[in-house]
Amino acid sequence: MNHKVAKFGGTSLANFEAMSRCADIVLSSQSTRIVVVSASSGVTNLLVSLSTGALPATQRNAAIAKISEIQSAIATHLELSSQQLSLIDDLLEKVGDIATSIARLNVGEEQVRTQLTDKLLACGEQLSSTLFTQVLIERGVNAHWLDVRDVMRTSSDFGKATVCIDTVVQLASERITPLLEKQVIVTQGFIGSDEAGNTTTLGRGGSDYSAALLGEATHCSQIDIWTDVTGIFTTDPRITAQAYALEEISFNEAAEMATFGAKVLHPSTLIPAMRCKIPVFVGSSRAPEAGGTIVRNETESKPVYRAIALRREQTLLTVTSMDMLHAPGFLARVFTILAKYNLSVDLVTTSEVSVAITLDNTGSNSGGNTQISQAMLAELEAVCQVTIEKDLALVALIGNAIDTSYGVGTRLFSTLHDVNVRMICQGASSHNLCFLVEGNQATDVISRLHHAMFEQNAQGVA
């Protein structure tokens, strides 16, 4: 069957009016047969605050009441069945029970906390998917609510689980594909379950990834990501008003953008699409008529400069040891320690006796907790001197043939002649040039670079 997967983000499901616009989009395309939803806007943030266990009882109750208020405001417009109402009530009660359990945990029970956090955060998607299914039903769609945990099998790495892709493909063929001809499947992004049936999450922002995985598993023709912006922009339009939406972008370019901070797509989203060469469309649920950006394997245009991505809250970790000098195996020891604590390294530069690496501190797991632990630092300090610099920003210039195009470095450094570039990486990819600057300079750096690389080009300046 030639079908599409549509994913709707939190702002697209913020209230009944927003959900109605999403229903219009589903109704406008007979080929949309799988709908993946995030939690309603604001709900996940409230659940994350509850997952810390730090809120006093009054604030916990206020957060739970706010979640109930957001969902009840949608529910009042719907004719929910007794079964649906019971499910919503059970989920809200579950939120309160889990939040209380987390608050009662003792110091050192982090594994239990992380597992409970996944159960807590999953409630957001379960609530929104229940409500949106009914929105579609009342618009005449033969919609079927599916618990994605029956299909999305993962590891037991709570907070950032790894998907067991072969199992997902098998389960999807058994439990989703047979239904697609007659029904529209509404399910949840971001969550899954391990072999024991425990709820897991794919890391915050994983709803896009869920949609792509389900698209791959069911051999869809296109994945539509509906958000609150009209496509993928040359840079964050909140930084410069001169940013504009791109008509097209290649998988490689979009993957670089997602990896280095562009928030329109989750970094993992494109991996399943790239494997199967499934086009990905990004558009605004508020203005679907405005079009959007299509991400495909090959694009007609291949400019040197396509976009600029920004990722804040970066940490620069520098390890130094004289043992590095002409000694094999030192880097392996360092990276083995990082791997032990599931730390993903972004940029790396080396000298004779030191290695500088960047780590993303924006929240590597669903609860938003940094993964730079004291235990990890203690192991590193046993073999080398460790220096940590925080509050940096990673800027990535994205395009094509950047590693072989003349003048890229000249234009970059002449534009930023008065900025201290703390670290730079080029050559590993033909699609990016990355560097670190102080976090408080990031906005100015992006604005100046965009003018130099894009606006001047548009005016015919070389």
Side-chain angles (χ1 to χ4, degrees):
M1 182 179 177
N2 191 25
H3 69 279
K4 291 182 181 180
V5 174
K7 180 263 176 178
F8 294 102
T11 54
S12 299
L13 303 161
N15 50 46
F16 178 73
E17 291 73 22
M19 284 193 175
S20 295
R21 289 193 294 267
C22 294
D24 290 338
I25 292 171
V26 174
L27 283 162
S28 70
S29 173
Q30 289 294 320
S31 59
T32 299
R33 309 305 293 176
I34 300 175
V35 176
V36 178
V37 301
S38 299
S40 296
S41 182
V43 170
T44 298
N45 286 338
L46 289 165
L47 291 171
V48 169
S49 70
L50 290 169
S51 73
T52 65
L55 298 180
T58 53
Q59 292 184 27
R60 286 204 308 273
N61 292 335
I64 296 166
K66 182 61 179 177
I67 293 170
S68 178
E69 178 185 329
I70 292 170
Q71 308 294 222
S72 296
I74 300 169
T76 55
H77 295 274
L78 301 171
E79 296 180 4
L80 295 165
S81 67
S82 58
Q83 182 180 4
Q84 290 170 320
L85 288 170
S86 178
L87 175 60
I88 291 171
D89 288 341
D90 288 346
L91 285 168
L92 291 171
E93 184 178 350
K94 185 177 181 181
V95 167
D97 291 343
I98 297 173
T100 301
S101 296
I102 291 174
R104 291 173 177 171
L105 290 175
N106 297 317
V107 175
E109 296 183 273
E110 288 307 311
Q111 185 173 358
V112 177
R113 183 187 304 278
T114 306
Q115 185 171 352
L116 286 174
T117 294
D118 277 8
K119 291 176 65 176
L120 179 65
L121 299 184
C123 294
E125 276 71 15
Q126 291 174 279
L127 286 164
S128 62
S129 59
T130 300
L131 293 168
F132 189 60
T133 300
Q134 185 60 25
V135 171
L136 289 176
I137 289 172
E138 294 187 14
R139 295 289 295 276
V141 177
N142 185 13
H144 172 76
W145 184 88
L146 175 84
D147 190 336
V148 80
R149 292 173 297 182
D150 293 338
V151 174
M152 194 64 65
R153 190 69 70 245
T154 74
S155 67
S156 300
D157 300 310
F158 301 104
K160 195 175 183 182
T162 300
V163 176
C164 305
I165 296 170
D166 291 341
T167 306
V168 172
V169 171
Q170 177 188 338
L171 293 173
S173 67
E174 296 172 359
R175 303 179 184 183
I176 294 180
T177 302
L179 304 176
L180 295 181
E181 187 173 346
K182 295 183 179 180
Q183 293 181 306
V184 173
I185 306 300
V186 180
T187 192
Q188 309 81 36
F190 173 63
I191 65 177
S193 67
D194 64 11
E195 284 292 338
N198 298 307
T199 298
T200 59
T201 63
L202 309 185
R204 197 164 189 192
S207 292
D208 290 352
Y209 186 35
S210 300
L213 286 165
L214 292 175
E216 177 186 32
T218 60
H219 309 289
C220 77
S221 60
Q222 183 168 302
I223 300 163
D224 294 340
I225 306 294
W226 294 101
T227 179
D228 56 356
V229 292
T230 53
I232 299 174
F233 280 64
T234 49
T235 196
D236 189 338
R238 293 170 297 183
I239 293 177
T240 172
Q242 304 308 312
Y244 56 88
L246 299 163
E247 291 185 6
E248 64 170 0
I249 189 170
S250 70
F251 279 138
N252 287 329
E253 293 168 311
E256 298 278 7
M257 288 190 69
T259 298
F260 291 114
K263 295 182 179 180
V264 177
L265 288 175
H266 184 267
S268 300
T269 302
L270 294 169
I271 296 174
M274 291 172 72
R275 282 195 294 254
C276 299
K277 297 183 179 179
I278 302 170
V280 177
F281 172 81
V282 180
S284 169
S285 61
R286 295 176 179 176
E289 71 284 351
T293 303
I294 191 75
V295 187
R296 53 168 64 98
N297 192 47
E298 292 289 337
T299 57
E300 293 183 8
S301 63
K302 295 184 178 181
V304 176
Y305 311 123
R306 180 80 81 178
I308 304 171
L310 169 66
R311 193 161 68 191
R312 299 183 186 272
E313 295 182 50
Q314 302 301 290
T315 296
L316 181 62
L317 187 71
T318 304
V319 296
T320 305
S321 173
M322 293 303 295
D323 291 342
M324 281 187 64
L325 193 61
H326 307 303
F330 178 80
L331 283 179
R333 292 171 68 187
V334 170
F335 282 92
T336 297
I337 294 171
L338 296 176
K340 176 182 176 181
Y341 291 92
N342 294 320
L343 278 172
S344 177
V345 174
D346 288 326
L347 308 186
V348 181
T349 60
T350 65
S351 71
E352 288 187 344
V353 295
S354 65
V355 181
I357 59 180
T358 63
L359 304 171
D360 184 12
N361 196 41
T362 56
S364 297
N365 62 27
S366 300
N369 298 316
T370 177
Q371 295 192 28
I372 303 175
S373 66
Q374 289 301 314
M376 183 272 289
L377 291 177
E379 288 199 41
L380 281 177
E381 289 169 347
V383 298
C384 55
Q385 180 182 343
V386 181
T387 303
I388 298 175
E389 299 176 54
K390 297 183 178 181
D391 300 322
L392 298 172
L394 189 158
V395 179
L397 182 61
I398 310 294
N400 296 275
I402 287 179
D403 57 338
T404 57
S405 297
Y406 293 104
V408 175
T410 300
R411 180 174 286 189
L412 172 68
F413 286 110
S414 63
T415 301
L416 306 178
H417 63 90
D418 56 348
V419 175
N420 178 31
V421 176
R422 183 63 187 84
M423 175 182 178
I424 185 167
C425 283
Q426 184 185 13
S429 167
S430 63
H431 295 288
N432 77 61
L433 185 158
C434 305
F435 57 95
L436 284 181
V437 297
E438 296 291 337
N440 58 10
Q441 294 182 305
T443 297
D444 180 59
V445 165
I446 295 294
S447 182
R448 287 161 61 177
L449 266 185
H450 192 275
H451 176 73
M453 305 298 190
F454 296 92
E455 296 164 50
Q456 289 185 10
N457 282 354
Q459 296 164 12
V461 179

